[in-house]
Amino acid sequence: MASIARQSPLLRQSCLSAFRAPWASKNAAGVSQVVAFHASANKQILPPLPQSIQGTMNDPAPIPHSHPVHGSYHWTFERLVSASLVPLCIAPFAAGSVSPVMDAVICSAIVVHSHIGFDASITDYFPVRRVPKTAAFMKWLLRAFTLGTAVGLYEFETNDVGVTEAIRRVWKA
């Protein structure tokens, strides 16, 4: 029992060495003081964005202008597009028919769904009040990629076999 007690610090040290950073400083006993996955805030990956406060602490928060596109209609439209993708993606394979109209509807729903999702991500991660130029650039980049995706899917639908037939061929390969 005494030999196990003496080996336990060595065993613990050897097991934890896998989680210790190789550059970590060591104390007098030779045990590293900093582990690789520590939670200190000494070095941040990215520095915080510049922040400024406009007005005083007693000023009310500005109320955004109401617009039906940015309210509950927008939320309902997002959910309808997302929910419609499930039957649209299952129908061609369950029914066994390949229709160019069905492919066009599926491609349109995928493009709209992707655009809405990436737009929400850009809005969350690049707020206009903090990084206006980056937010505008990212919005235009999203529009360019959305247009490129739509044109690519259109070309694939008109000049090749189409999305559902391509998926069917890959699935059976």
Side-chain angles (χ1 to χ4, degrees), residues 101-160:
V101 174
M102 179 65 85
D103 272 357
V105 171
I106 289 171
C107 290
S108 300
I110 288 172
V111 168
V112 169
H113 175 74
S114 300
H115 181 83
I116 290 172
F118 283 117
D119 185 52
S121 298
I122 290 170
T123 302
D124 289 344
Y125 289 107
F126 301 104
V128 175
R129 69 182 183 278
R130 291 183 72 193
V131 284
K133 290 181 181 177
T134 306
F137 173 73
M138 295 302 284
K139 293 275 187 169
W140 280 104
L141 188 65
L142 173 65
R143 291 177 187 131
F145 275 107
T146 301
L147 181 64
T149 302
V151 169
L153 285 173
Y154 174 76
E155 288 294 322
F156 188 65
E157 287 295 322
T158 55
N159 297 329
D160 210 343

Side-chain angles (χ1 to χ4, degrees), residues 1 9-10 16 19 39 45 50 54-55 73 77 89 93-94 101 104 107 110 123-124 126 134 146 157 166 169-170:
M1 185 70 166
L10 294 175
L16 290 177
F19 297 107
I45 295 174
Q54 298 175 356
Y73 298 119
F77 179 71
C89 290
F93 303 107
V101 174
C107 290
I110 288 172
T123 302
D124 289 344
F126 301 104
T134 306
T146 301
E157 287 295 322
R169 288 181 183 183
V170 168

Side-chain angles (χ1 to χ4, degrees), residues 78-100:
E78 286 178 358
R79 298 310 172 267
L80 286 174
V81 169
S82 299
S84 70
L85 281 172
V86 174
L88 282 175
C89 290
I90 293 173
F93 303 107
S97 66
V98 177
S99 169

